């Protein structure tokens, strides 16, 4: 529901339907200013690791890679739409249309390369997502992105307790996800909000061992 509320959408029909849905809620009736300030304003990347049960570091990487590919689909479609509607007076944070086109073309090429390489590392997955957030931030109307991850600790917990996996493999799997989370959540100027839902509290899980600004609910 959070992603549905915050996510920007290039489809006018879908956006109108979503707006009507939320206009019947207490959120709209009691906090109309908040609603208008935040409804459909952000790129949202949603991932779900509830069914991620990797037994090797390679499998962990592949699962993570697949989730990032799926989460980026809407943003890549947005770039396709934006590329056909460039306007000189609406450049976002770019200095010129040329700069905007160059940045969009660059991230599209990076996406093509990324989605054909399922062996990319955890930090590589995070690096691509962070680069995508930067381009979105600089585009017209751009604001920080929102990242939601359901059961962020499921793959790590499974790896640590699954019999038959070597200690080295367990550490490798944990490192894949730790590198990813650290890359996208720490010192990311293009992140508006990050929400990690899981069994273990983030500070106790160790996946963001140097992050001190996480709020626990």
């Amino acid at each position: 529901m959070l992603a549905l509320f915050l996510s920007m959408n290039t489809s006018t029909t879908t956006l109108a339907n979503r707006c009507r849905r939320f206009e019947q809620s207490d959120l709209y009736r009691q906090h109309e200013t908040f609603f208008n300030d935040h409804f459909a304003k952000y790129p949202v990347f949603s991932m779900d690791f509830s069914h991620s049960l990797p037994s090797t570091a390679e499998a962990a990487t592949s699962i993570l890679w697949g989730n990032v590919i799926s989460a980026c689909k809407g943003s890549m479609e947005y770039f396709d739409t934006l590329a056909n509607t460039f306007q000189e007076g609406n450049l976002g944070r770019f200095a010129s249309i040329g700069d905007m086109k160059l940045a969009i073309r660059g991230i599209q090429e990076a996406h093509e390369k990324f989605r054909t390489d399922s062996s990319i590392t955890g930090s590589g997955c995070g690096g691509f997502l962070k680069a995508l957030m930067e381009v979105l931030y600089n585009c017209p109307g751009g604001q920080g992105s929102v990242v939601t991850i359901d059961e962020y600790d499921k793959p790590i917990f499974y790896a640590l307790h699954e019999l038959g996996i070597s200690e080295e493999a367990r550490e490798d799997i944990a490192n894949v996800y730790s590198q990813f989370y650290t890359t996208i959540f720490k010192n990311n100027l293009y992140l508006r909000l990050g929400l990690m839902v899981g069994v273990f509290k983030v500070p106790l899980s160790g996946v963001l061992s140097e992050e001190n600004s996480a709020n626990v609910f």
Side-chain angles (χ1 to χ4, degrees), residues 193-207:
L193 172 68
L195 180 64
M196 302 171 73
V197 179
V199 174
F200 296 102
K201 294 180 179 179
V202 173
L204 297 179
S205 69
V207 297

Side-chain angles (χ1 to χ4, degrees), residues 62-88:
S62 181
I63 290 169
L64 177 57
W65 169 81
N67 267 272
V68 174
I69 288 292
S70 179
C72 292
K73 182 179 179 181
S75 294
M76 300 315 299
E77 292 175 348
Y78 166 71
F79 287 136
D80 291 337
T81 301
L82 188 62
N84 296 321
T85 58
F86 287 124
Q87 297 180 9
E88 190 66 50

Side-chain angles (χ1 to χ4, degrees), residues 116-191:
T116 58
D117 184 10
S118 60
S119 65
I120 196 166
T121 63
S123 58
C125 288
F128 168 73
L129 186 55
K130 190 173 182 178
L132 175 55
M133 291 181 192
E134 180 180 1
V135 178
L136 288 165
Y137 179 80
N138 288 320
C139 281
Q143 300 192 54
S145 296
V146 174
V147 177
T148 67
I149 301 179
D150 192 23
E151 296 200 38
Y152 81 93
D153 50 358
K154 182 68 172 286
I156 300 172
F157 182 82
Y158 176 80
L160 292 177
H161 294 84
E162 175 64 11
L163 297 177
I165 301 178
S166 69
E167 186 65 28
E168 182 180 3
R170 292 177 182 179
E171 292 180 1
D172 288 344
I173 292 170
N175 285 337
V176 167
Y177 287 90
S178 181
Q179 289 171 5
F180 174 69
Y181 297 145
T182 298
T183 302
I184 61 173
F185 288 123
K186 285 185 59 180
N187 303 319
N188 186 351
L189 299 176
Y190 313 108
L191 179 69

